Amino acid sequence: MRRFLILALLLPLAAAAQAPEPPAGFRIVNRTGVEATALHAVRSPRGAGNDWGNSLLTAGRPLPINGGFRVVPSDPAACRFDLRLVLADGRESVLPEQDICANRTIELATAAAPRPPPPPASLVPQAPPNQAARNVSTGSGFIIAADRVMTNEHVVNGCNRIILRTPEGRWLAATPPARVDAALDLAVLAVPGLPGPVLPFRAGPPVRRGEGVVAYGFPLAGLLSSDPKLTRGEVNGLAGIADNRNQIQISAEVQPGNSGGPLLDMQGHIVGVVVSKLNAQRVAQRTGDIAQNVNFAVRSEAALQFLTRAQVTPRSLPSQGVERSAADVGDIAHRSTMFIRCER
């Protein structure tokens, strides 16, 4: 009897040891109701060229309705992919930034007509800086919709001309008038022919104290190098000065010129718009002490409400899954962050 019990205990262990490992990669399922003639799975972010690469389907062998296709990434550590099905009727089904490490089966169900490609850079007229401008100030901004850039109201207030430098080094002109909210210190600029992808806002969960954040922008233009700067920090408080609930306090260091730049979480989603740093000299005059590294950003929720009033529809994505490195978040921000020059 004792020998029988030992054998009975060993059998489940042997069965578990021989259990097959789950298949590698992830599975894409076509739930669109139309067969797909092309399938693309590209590690996100795709880059400023918005290139989808080659289709994974064999020519002449479409992915049928409710059919599945297994994708095995060349990098087993890669977790985030942009997915795209091109359907037989010409429509596309696109799912950006899918965490395939958390979800090994991804269904694409909705489809729409493909967006027209942006005009070639050579056809978009450039607007170089006016070297004779008597009064110039600078700031930062980021793409929140097609041909739309968000920044601070104080960055563009009183400007006779607003031009933006793209990550590729081209100068484009903003078309007046800007949509502004002086109370929130936010503005939206129309910039025809704007390249680069849209930065998505965070759809949830709510931001918490202690979360890591990345500020990206162009501080101290004319003093520091002309390339954008990244600073990493944390959310220190869920309100601004005098309990301003439209702002959050952050430890990511910002300087003049960072104003209007994106504040991103560690998924690369917008959680705020950099707006100011505490005036240490004034605080020292009142308290006798020098406050250090106290900075603020307009909450993403307030920014989204402003965009609704401005009739602009941004992208929003939930922040979930494995966090990215600060360098990866910087790569995401870089493609969509603009240097803003205000000429008066």
Side-chain angles (χ1 to χ4, degrees), residues 28 36-41 54-57 63 69 71 84-86:
I28 296 174
T37 57
L39 184 156
H40 303 269
N54 297 323
S55 172
L56 300 179
L57 300 180
L63 183 62
F69 187 94
V71 179
R84 175 192 187 215
L85 288 178
V86 179

Side-chain angles (χ1 to χ4, degrees), residues 167-193:
E168 298 81 22
R170 296 185 299 121
W171 288 96
L172 301 176
T175 302
R179 297 295 298 269
V180 301
D181 187 319
L184 289 175
D185 200 353
L186 292 177
V188 170
L189 306 176
V191 187

Side-chain angles (χ1 to χ4, degrees), residues 19 22 68 84 96-97 111 124 127 131 141 149 160-161 183 213 218-219 247 253 256 260 268 278 301 309 312:
R84 175 192 187 215
E97 297 192 38
V124 179
Q131 302 300 336
V149 169
N160 297 325
R161 182 173 182 252
V213 289
F218 297 88
Q247 296 184 359
E253 296 181 4
L278 193 66
E301 294 88 347
R309 296 193 298 271
V312 176

Side-chain angles (χ1 to χ4, degrees), residues 73-133:
S74 57
D75 181 1
C79 281
R80 294 181 187 275
F81 282 80
D82 294 346
L83 308 178
R84 175 192 187 215
L85 288 178
V86 179
L87 306 183
D89 60 9
R91 294 179 302 152
E92 296 180 352
S93 181
V94 177
L95 284 179
E97 297 192 38
Q98 297 301 296
D99 187 348
I100 61 94
C101 294
N103 183 12
R104 292 291 183 177
T105 300
I106 301 174
E107 298 183 352
L108 285 86
T110 60
R115 292 182 178 180
S122 59
L123 299 182
V124 179
Q126 292 204 50
N130 177 11
Q131 302 300 336

Side-chain angles (χ1 to χ4, degrees), residues 149-327:
V149 169
M150 172 164 274
T151 186
N152 289 146
E153 187 270 345
H154 77 259
V155 170
V156 299
N157 184 26
C159 302
N160 297 325
R161 182 173 182 252
I162 302 169
I163 56 175
L164 299 88
R165 190 180 68 220
T166 71
E168 298 81 22
R170 296 185 299 121
W171 288 96
L172 301 176
T175 302
R179 297 295 298 269
V180 301
D181 187 319
L184 289 175
D185 200 353
L186 292 177
V188 170
L189 306 176
V191 187
L194 195 66
V198 170
L199 283 179
F201 282 78
R202 172 165 162 163
V207 173
R208 300 185 301 162
R209 298 176 191 85
E211 279 198 48
V213 289
V214 166
Y216 203 80
F218 297 88
L220 301 174
L223 177 62
L224 303 180
S225 61
S226 61
D227 64 312
K229 309 298 184 295
L230 179 154
T231 55
R232 181 173 180 177
E234 295 179 340
V235 176
N236 299 133
L238 302 181
I241 295 175
D243 247 0
N244 183 351
R245 294 292 170 179
N246 289 320
Q247 296 184 359
I248 55 175
Q249 181 182 328
I250 58 174
S251 66
E253 296 181 4
V254 301
Q255 308 293 340
N258 274 116
S259 294
L263 182 74
L264 307 101
D265 65 14
M266 302 314 295
Q267 305 283 349
H269 301 156
I270 298 296
V271 293
V273 184
V274 175
V275 67
S276 65
K277 61 183 295 185
L278 193 66
N279 190 317
Q281 291 181 338
R282 291 185 180 178
V283 172
Q285 291 172 357
R286 294 183 57 181
T287 67
D289 192 15
I290 298 177
Q292 298 182 12
N293 200 22
V294 181
N295 314 286
F296 301 98
V298 180
R299 279 178 173 269
S300 58
E301 294 88 347
L304 287 170
Q305 292 173 6
F306 164 61
L307 291 175
T308 298
R309 296 193 298 271
Q311 299 180 334
V312 176
T313 304
R315 284 180 60 206
S316 295
L317 292 172
S319 287
Q320 56 191 12
V322 179
E323 291 188 347
R324 303 176 190 261
S325 68

